[in-house]
Amino acid sequence: MALILDALIEILRKPTIGDIVSELTLFAAPLWIAVFVGLVVGWAWKPRWATGMVGEEKGCSDDDHQMKPRANSYGCGLQLALPSLDSLRAQIPSYLTCLMPEQIREKGEKVVDDLSPPHLVKKELVVNFDDLQNLSALVETTDGGPVWIRMMEKSTPTMSYQAWRRDPETSPPQYRTRSVFEDATPELVRDFFWDDEFRIKNKWDDMLLYQSQLEECLVTGTMTVHWVRKFPFFCSDREYTIGRRIWEVDGAYYCVTKGVPFPSLPRQNKPRRVDLYYSSWCIRSVESRRGDGQKTACEVLLFHYEDMGIPWELAKLGVRQGMWGCVKKVESGLRSYQAARKSGEPLSRYAEIAQINTKISSGRLRSLGSINDTSEDIVDAEKEKEKEKEKEKEKPWGSNLPKFLIVGGAVALACTLDRGLLTKAVIFGVARRFAKIGRSL
């Protein structure tokens, strides 16, 4: 710096203005050459955000509006006169990107408005607004489906549980459960159900053998994940490609997960891929059963069904036998997750994505949807049985003849075959289904 100042002083000491100007020109020429070379090199090595400064991108390209693979998924940002945050994320190391704000944050979490402008998210995502409407209708029992029949009701000192089932005519049995966890926040429970890394590490879901993330969108929080689940010894393992997304509706979290096609992941003979899969939650705070009027408990309404490729009657038997044991493992896993978060354990990638929620009000959801106002009742299985008995008494004995023939044949077949309890359970289950048909003849 001192040498430059000395050179400038020597130039200014020249006797004439012409000499000073000529000397300054010669002095500044190398600097101007360096600036010009820098501009040429910088334009040749042009970062992606530079195109937004000159108006070359008016939004996401056709390639960009698809969800990116995990390795280079950065979502689409608003293209303004300045570099977008999402494009800047791509230019810096990944371990620093978590320090950058994402869109609009409330309470430390990212939320984005639903029905975003077309230039923000062009692609029809694998989980969309229709899925939110379907889940909302299930929560409000306005979906027009069959009546839910109560299966069980159990509790522990820190959790209560209820389960219902219904049997559509052309699809697998559907299950609705209500779990209330004491001293748990909706945000923690939301992250817990999304965190596949913790599922594997903690083994609270001991059926999950393998998980990986296939795609992600940092604008909407939509993910596609790959699962392989362990099935009983008489079945091969099952493979799933699952789409996920979370909406925040007036403080409640509507978490949709469903089977989605993923052509770039080829099918295999083993494990067998499950195409029809649906498992979604509504997570919200409720009053504690301690009766203190404080909303310190968390309610989880779960809706689940899948076509696993085994007889539905057999699947119903297995679900009923293992349901309560599975729920107790879920609570144990949640308490372990709660302790890990309190100890400062860093968030997994799945938990980070779980905090990217699409925010919408319940009023707007109702105005945009066409939800049937007719609510379906949830009834007890015992009441249904009593109604069936009353109908049987009203019918003449001859009308029950098809039922007796079918059930009697099943008993004879089950006693003839020495294939164990499982085979007999399947035979009786199928016979019972045909007996229902016989009663209507």
PDB file of all heavy atoms in Angstrom, residues 33-50:
ATOM      1  N   ILE A  33      -7.266  -3.778 -17.008  1.00  0.00           N
ATOM      2  CA  ILE A  33      -7.109  -5.071 -17.681  1.00  0.00           C
ATOM      3  C   ILE A  33      -7.525  -6.213 -16.757  1.00  0.00           C
ATOM      4  O   ILE A  33      -8.209  -7.166 -17.151  1.00  0.00           O
ATOM      5  CB  ILE A  33      -5.651  -5.260 -18.162  1.00  0.00           C
ATOM      6  CG1 ILE A  33      -5.345  -4.261 -19.280  1.00  0.00           C
ATOM      7  CG2 ILE A  33      -5.420  -6.687 -18.640  1.00  0.00           C
ATOM      8  CD1 ILE A  33      -3.886  -4.240 -19.678  1.00  0.00           C
ATOM      9  N   ALA A  34      -7.145  -6.106 -15.479  1.00  0.00           N
ATOM     10  CA  ALA A  34      -7.510  -7.141 -14.507  1.00  0.00           C
ATOM     11  C   ALA A  34      -9.026  -7.216 -14.314  1.00  0.00           C
ATOM     12  O   ALA A  34      -9.615  -8.303 -14.223  1.00  0.00           O
ATOM     13  CB  ALA A  34      -6.824  -6.864 -13.168  1.00  0.00           C
ATOM     14  N   VAL A  35      -9.703  -6.020 -14.256  1.00  0.00           N
ATOM     15  CA  VAL A  35     -11.152  -5.996 -14.117  1.00  0.00           C
ATOM     16  C   VAL A  35     -11.825  -6.652 -15.321  1.00  0.00           C
ATOM     17  O   VAL A  35     -12.764  -7.446 -15.195  1.00  0.00           O
ATOM     18  CB  VAL A  35     -11.644  -4.548 -13.930  1.00  0.00           C
ATOM     19  CG1 VAL A  35     -13.171  -4.484 -14.031  1.00  0.00           C
ATOM     20  CG2 VAL A  35     -11.191  -4.005 -12.582  1.00  0.00           C
ATOM     21  N   PHE A  36     -11.343  -6.321 -16.535  1.00  0.00           N
ATOM     22  CA  PHE A  36     -11.927  -6.877 -17.754  1.00  0.00           C
ATOM     23  C   PHE A  36     -11.771  -8.399 -17.797  1.00  0.00           C
ATOM     24  O   PHE A  36     -12.716  -9.132 -18.115  1.00  0.00           O
ATOM     25  CB  PHE A  36     -11.254  -6.239 -18.982  1.00  0.00           C
ATOM     26  CG  PHE A  36     -11.772  -6.775 -20.279  1.00  0.00           C
ATOM     27  CD1 PHE A  36     -12.998  -6.369 -20.781  1.00  0.00           C
ATOM     28  CD2 PHE A  36     -11.029  -7.690 -21.008  1.00  0.00           C
ATOM     29  CE1 PHE A  36     -13.483  -6.875 -21.978  1.00  0.00           C
ATOM     30  CE2 PHE A  36     -11.499  -8.187 -22.206  1.00  0.00           C
ATOM     31  CZ  PHE A  36     -12.730  -7.786 -22.697  1.00  0.00           C
ATOM     32  N   VAL A  37     -10.555  -8.864 -17.469  1.00  0.00           N
ATOM     33  CA  VAL A  37     -10.332 -10.313 -17.456  1.00  0.00           C
ATOM     34  C   VAL A  37     -11.238 -10.992 -16.425  1.00  0.00           C
ATOM     35  O   VAL A  37     -11.795 -12.068 -16.656  1.00  0.00           O
ATOM     36  CB  VAL A  37      -8.849 -10.625 -17.174  1.00  0.00           C
ATOM     37  CG1 VAL A  37      -8.640 -12.125 -16.947  1.00  0.00           C
ATOM     38  CG2 VAL A  37      -7.975 -10.150 -18.329  1.00  0.00           C
ATOM     39  N   GLY A  38     -11.404 -10.341 -15.267  1.00  0.00           N
ATOM     40  CA  GLY A  38     -12.284 -10.902 -14.243  1.00  0.00           C
ATOM     41  C   GLY A  38     -13.732 -11.026 -14.703  1.00  0.00           C
ATOM     42  O   GLY A  38     -14.407 -12.013 -14.420  1.00  0.00           O
ATOM     43  N   LEU A  39     -14.219 -10.005 -15.452  1.00  0.00           N
ATOM     44  CA  LEU A  39     -15.582 -10.063 -15.965  1.00  0.00           C
ATOM     45  C   LEU A  39     -15.757 -11.190 -16.970  1.00  0.00           C
ATOM     46  O   LEU A  39     -16.752 -11.912 -16.968  1.00  0.00           O
ATOM     47  CB  LEU A  39     -15.949  -8.722 -16.619  1.00  0.00           C
ATOM     48  CG  LEU A  39     -16.197  -7.548 -15.657  1.00  0.00           C
ATOM     49  CD1 LEU A  39     -16.402  -6.266 -16.439  1.00  0.00           C
ATOM     50  CD2 LEU A  39     -17.416  -7.828 -14.779  1.00  0.00           C
ATOM     51  N   VAL A  40     -14.765 -11.349 -17.861  1.00  0.00           N
ATOM     52  CA  VAL A  40     -14.847 -12.408 -18.872  1.00  0.00           C
ATOM     53  C   VAL A  40     -14.844 -13.790 -18.219  1.00  0.00           C
ATOM     54  O   VAL A  40     -15.662 -14.662 -18.530  1.00  0.00           O
ATOM     55  CB  VAL A  40     -13.679 -12.285 -19.881  1.00  0.00           C
ATOM     56  CG1 VAL A  40     -13.646 -13.494 -20.811  1.00  0.00           C
ATOM     57  CG2 VAL A  40     -13.823 -11.008 -20.683  1.00  0.00           C
ATOM     58  N   VAL A  41     -13.919 -13.977 -17.270  1.00  0.00           N
ATOM     59  CA  VAL A  41     -13.845 -15.269 -16.584  1.00  0.00           C
ATOM     60  C   VAL A  41     -15.099 -15.518 -15.758  1.00  0.00           C
ATOM     61  O   VAL A  41     -15.654 -16.616 -15.732  1.00  0.00           O
ATOM     62  CB  VAL A  41     -12.581 -15.334 -15.699  1.00  0.00           C
ATOM     63  CG1 VAL A  41     -12.589 -16.599 -14.855  1.00  0.00           C
ATOM     64  CG2 VAL A  41     -11.337 -15.273 -16.564  1.00  0.00           C
ATOM     65  N   GLY A  42     -15.584 -14.482 -15.081  1.00  0.00           N
ATOM     66  CA  GLY A  42     -16.785 -14.632 -14.261  1.00  0.00           C
ATOM     67  C   GLY A  42     -18.011 -14.967 -15.088  1.00  0.00           C
ATOM     68  O   GLY A  42     -18.870 -15.735 -14.670  1.00  0.00           O
ATOM     69  N   TRP A  43     -18.126 -14.393 -16.305  1.00  0.00           N
ATOM     70  CA  TRP A  43     -19.272 -14.703 -17.151  1.00  0.00           C
ATOM     71  C   TRP A  43     -19.180 -16.125 -17.705  1.00  0.00           C
ATOM     72  O   TRP A  43     -20.182 -16.815 -17.836  1.00  0.00           O
ATOM     73  CB  TRP A  43     -19.357 -13.702 -18.285  1.00  0.00           C
ATOM     74  CG  TRP A  43     -20.616 -13.874 -19.090  1.00  0.00           C
ATOM     75  CD1 TRP A  43     -20.756 -14.468 -20.285  1.00  0.00           C
ATOM     76  CD2 TRP A  43     -21.925 -13.441 -18.705  1.00  0.00           C
ATOM     77  NE1 TRP A  43     -22.061 -14.447 -20.688  1.00  0.00           N
ATOM     78  CE2 TRP A  43     -22.812 -13.815 -19.730  1.00  0.00           C
ATOM     79  CE3 TRP A  43     -22.428 -12.766 -17.587  1.00  0.00           C
ATOM     80  CZ2 TRP A  43     -24.162 -13.538 -19.675  1.00  0.00           C
ATOM     81  CZ3 TRP A  43     -23.775 -12.489 -17.538  1.00  0.00           C
ATOM     82  CH2 TRP A  43     -24.623 -12.876 -18.575  1.00  0.00           C
ATOM     83  N   ALA A  44     -17.976 -16.566 -18.030  1.00  0.00           N
ATOM     84  CA  ALA A  44     -17.800 -17.929 -18.522  1.00  0.00           C
ATOM     85  C   ALA A  44     -18.135 -18.937 -17.424  1.00  0.00           C
ATOM     86  O   ALA A  44     -18.755 -19.971 -17.670  1.00  0.00           O
ATOM     87  CB  ALA A  44     -16.379 -18.142 -19.017  1.00  0.00           C
ATOM     88  N   TRP A  45     -17.725 -18.661 -16.198  1.00  0.00           N
ATOM     89  CA  TRP A  45     -18.059 -19.517 -15.054  1.00  0.00           C
ATOM     90  C   TRP A  45     -19.203 -18.839 -14.295  1.00  0.00           C
ATOM     91  O   TRP A  45     -19.033 -18.262 -13.242  1.00  0.00           O
ATOM     92  CB  TRP A  45     -16.850 -19.688 -14.150  1.00  0.00           C
ATOM     93  CG  TRP A  45     -17.142 -20.569 -12.962  1.00  0.00           C
ATOM     94  CD1 TRP A  45     -17.210 -21.904 -12.957  1.00  0.00           C
ATOM     95  CD2 TRP A  45     -17.413 -20.132 -11.622  1.00  0.00           C
ATOM     96  NE1 TRP A  45     -17.531 -22.355 -11.700  1.00  0.00           N
ATOM     97  CE2 TRP A  45     -17.655 -21.280 -10.850  1.00  0.00           C
ATOM     98  CE3 TRP A  45     -17.488 -18.891 -11.002  1.00  0.00           C
ATOM     99  CZ2 TRP A  45     -17.950 -21.237  -9.505  1.00  0.00           C
ATOM    100  CZ3 TRP A  45     -17.798 -18.830  -9.656  1.00  0.00           C
ATOM    101  CH2 TRP A  45     -18.019 -20.004  -8.922  1.00  0.00           C
ATOM    102  N   LYS A  46     -20.380 -18.886 -14.885  1.00  0.00           N
ATOM    103  CA  LYS A  46     -21.515 -18.130 -14.363  1.00  0.00           C
ATOM    104  C   LYS A  46     -22.287 -18.973 -13.360  1.00  0.00           C
ATOM    105  O   LYS A  46     -22.819 -20.020 -13.716  1.00  0.00           O
ATOM    106  CB  LYS A  46     -22.431 -17.737 -15.517  1.00  0.00           C
ATOM    107  CG  LYS A  46     -23.646 -16.928 -15.104  1.00  0.00           C
ATOM    108  CD  LYS A  46     -24.397 -16.419 -16.325  1.00  0.00           C
ATOM    109  CE  LYS A  46     -24.751 -17.546 -17.258  1.00  0.00           C
ATOM    110  NZ  LYS A  46     -25.544 -17.091 -18.414  1.00  0.00           N
ATOM    111  N   PRO A  47     -22.416 -18.569 -12.085  1.00  0.00           N
ATOM    112  CA  PRO A  47     -23.226 -19.322 -11.126  1.00  0.00           C
ATOM    113  C   PRO A  47     -24.700 -19.251 -11.492  1.00  0.00           C
ATOM    114  O   PRO A  47     -25.130 -18.342 -12.193  1.00  0.00           O
ATOM    115  CB  PRO A  47     -22.940 -18.623  -9.784  1.00  0.00           C
ATOM    116  CG  PRO A  47     -22.484 -17.259 -10.160  1.00  0.00           C
ATOM    117  CD  PRO A  47     -21.774 -17.383 -11.478  1.00  0.00           C
ATOM    118  N   ARG A  48     -25.463 -20.218 -10.995  1.00  0.00           N
ATOM    119  CA  ARG A  48     -26.858 -20.306 -11.395  1.00  0.00           C
ATOM    120  C   ARG A  48     -27.677 -19.084 -10.992  1.00  0.00           C
ATOM    121  O   ARG A  48     -28.609 -18.707 -11.672  1.00  0.00           O
ATOM    122  CB  ARG A  48     -27.487 -21.562 -10.778  1.00  0.00           C
ATOM    123  CG  ARG A  48     -27.217 -22.804 -11.587  1.00  0.00           C
ATOM    124  CD  ARG A  48     -27.813 -24.027 -10.934  1.00  0.00           C
ATOM    125  NE  ARG A  48     -27.009 -24.441  -9.785  1.00  0.00           N
ATOM    126  CZ  ARG A  48     -27.338 -25.448  -9.007  1.00  0.00           C
ATOM    127  NH1 ARG A  48     -28.443 -26.113  -9.215  1.00  0.00           N
ATOM    128  NH2 ARG A  48     -26.571 -25.783  -7.984  1.00  0.00           N
ATOM    129  N   TRP A  49     -27.315 -18.447  -9.875  1.00  0.00           N
ATOM    130  CA  TRP A  49     -28.126 -17.313  -9.449  1.00  0.00           C
ATOM    131  C   TRP A  49     -27.908 -16.095 -10.320  1.00  0.00           C
ATOM    132  O   TRP A  49     -28.719 -15.169 -10.334  1.00  0.00           O
ATOM    133  CB  TRP A  49     -27.855 -16.967  -7.983  1.00  0.00           C
ATOM    134  CG  TRP A  49     -26.416 -16.713  -7.624  1.00  0.00           C
ATOM    135  CD1 TRP A  49     -25.550 -17.602  -7.086  1.00  0.00           C
ATOM    136  CD2 TRP A  49     -25.683 -15.492  -7.771  1.00  0.00           C
ATOM    137  NE1 TRP A  49     -24.328 -17.035  -6.892  1.00  0.00           N
ATOM    138  CE2 TRP A  49     -24.377 -15.724  -7.297  1.00  0.00           C
ATOM    139  CE3 TRP A  49     -25.999 -14.238  -8.256  1.00  0.00           C
ATOM    140  CZ2 TRP A  49     -23.393 -14.746  -7.298  1.00  0.00           C
ATOM    141  CZ3 TRP A  49     -25.029 -13.245  -8.259  1.00  0.00           C
ATOM    142  CH2 TRP A  49     -23.736 -13.504  -7.786  1.00  0.00           C
ATOM    143  N   ALA A  50     -26.810 -16.069 -11.115  1.00  0.00           N
ATOM    144  CA  ALA A  50     -26.542 -14.898 -11.951  1.00  0.00           C
ATOM    145  C   ALA A  50     -27.583 -14.728 -13.042  1.00  0.00           C
ATOM    146  O   ALA A  50     -27.849 -13.614 -13.490  1.00  0.00           O
ATOM    147  CB  ALA A  50     -25.157 -15.021 -12.572  1.00  0.00           C
TER     148      ALA A  50
END
